[in-house]
Amino acid sequence: MFPFEISDAKIQREVNESITYHRGYMYYLKGYVHYFEFDERNLQIRAVVSGSSEYNINVYFKQDGTVDSYDCTCPAFRQYGGLVNTLLQC
């Protein structure tokens, strides 16, 4: 259980392009998220998402529920940074 609310509206505010949000949401609906865990002690989401390969995702939160930082092992994150499709699947 999350100690704060994570809404679609909050996620959309973090995303620069609506197409990225839409793609990530569609991947989620298609079942590409294979593992999902929220670590309450560290305020961290850990997930494994499939694309052309399997990618590890981490999202770190501040105490107020805002996103502190995130990382992903997918090539798009290394190339573009920011909230890529794989991060949005979680």
Side-chain angles (χ1 to χ4, degrees):
M1 175 118 191
F2 294 107
F4 43 78
E5 180 185 338
I6 300 174
S7 66
D8 281 344
K10 275 187 175 183
I11 295 169
Q12 287 179 2
R13 281 193 297 271
E14 295 282 337
V15 178
N16 294 330
E17 297 180 30
S18 62
I19 190 72
T20 302
Y21 174 83
H22 179 71
R23 282 186 191 147
Y25 184 65
M26 294 308 296
Y27 293 168
Y28 165 76
L29 290 177
K30 291 180 180 180
Y32 295 165
V33 178
H34 299 286
Y35 171 81
F36 182 92
E37 174 187 46
F38 181 71
D39 179 343
E40 287 189 52
R41 196 183 91 212
N42 294 313
L43 298 178
Q44 175 188 4
I45 290 175
R46 288 187 286 261
V48 176
V49 174
S50 64
S52 57
S53 190
E54 284 198 345
Y55 304 110
N56 296 311
I57 295 170
N58 295 289
V59 181
Y60 306 92
F61 295 90
K62 297 177 185 175
Q63 289 292 328
D64 66 0
T66 59
V67 175
D68 184 29
S69 64
Y70 39 81
D71 60 71
C72 180
T73 59
C74 73
F77 185 79
R78 288 191 301 270
Q79 184 174 357
Y80 303 112
L83 285 169
V84 293
N85 295 338
T86 49
L87 283 166
L88 294 172
Q89 291 175 40
C90 301

